[in-house]
Amino acid sequence: MGDLRVGTGFDVHAFAPGRPLVLGGVTVPHGSGLAGHSDADVLVHALMDAIVGALREGDIGKLFPDTDPAYAGISSIELLRRVGELAASRGYRLLDADTVLVLERPKIAPYREAMREQMAGALGVAVDRIGVKATTTEGLGFTGREEGVAAHAIVLMERSRP
Ligand code: MG
C-alpha cells in the first residue's frame, strides 16, 4: 500500500438573487444562485479544500485569495483543475472522493451524474471515483430556511513519491 492521505472539506455560501446556481460545475435551474467572489460553486469548493487538506497545503483561501481580482467570477471547475495539477506536481493522485450537498431545494438527483462527470473531468480521474449525494436538514437551520447551501467532501489520496 502506498502513502495514503485523507482530506476533508466543508463550505457554505448564501443564496443571492440574480445569480446562476452552479453546483459541481453544473448550472442548475433555480430562482436564485449563490453569493461569492468566484462562481460560488460550494460543492467544488468543499472538494478542493479536501484535496488541499490531504496535500497539507493550507486551504483554498490561501491558494486562491478572494482578494485577488484574478479569481473574480472564475469557474470553480477551472480552479479544481488547477488543484488537481498541484496534487500531481506533489506526487499525489486521487483514489476516491465523496461529497454531500446540504440544501432543501432544488432536487439534485437529475444533475448528479453531470456533476460527477464535471468534477472527475477536471481532475482527470474516472467518474466512479467521485461521489455526489444530497440531503436536506428537514427544514432546520440556515439550509432548512433556504438561506444558503452547505457542502462536505472527503478524499483519499495516494502519494506515489516523496
Ligand atoms: Mg466557497
Side-chain angles (χ1 to χ4, degrees), residues 10-123:
F10 173 70
D11 196 25
V12 170
H13 282 262
F15 274 116
R19 284 180 55 98
L21 179 61
V22 182
L23 297 171
V26 176
T27 301
V28 176
H30 194 55
S32 59
L34 297 173
H37 187 66
S38 65
D39 62 5
D41 189 332
V42 66
L43 181 58
V44 169
H45 291 185
L47 179 58
M48 288 195 291
D49 233 8
I51 294 169
V52 172
L55 302 181
R56 310 295 186 251
E57 291 279 347
D59 55 39
I60 56 171
K62 178 183 167 196
L63 291 180
F64 309 121
D66 65 8
T67 51
D68 187 336
Y71 303 117
I74 196 168
S75 160
S76 296
I77 282 288
E78 167 58 22
L79 298 180
L80 179 61
R81 192 185 62 74
R82 295 184 198 179
V83 166
E85 287 178 352
L86 174 68
S89 77
R90 299 287 194 271
Y92 286 86
R93 70 186 182 106
L94 181 80
L95 294 180
D96 205 31
D98 198 19
T99 63
V100 186
L101 275 166
V102 185
L103 75 176
E104 292 291 319
R105 292 187 307 148
K107 289 295 176 204
I108 293 308
Y111 309 99
R112 183 202 316 270
E113 298 312 313
M115 292 175 186
R116 295 176 65 209
E117 287 169 10
Q118 283 289 313
M119 294 190 286
L123 291 169

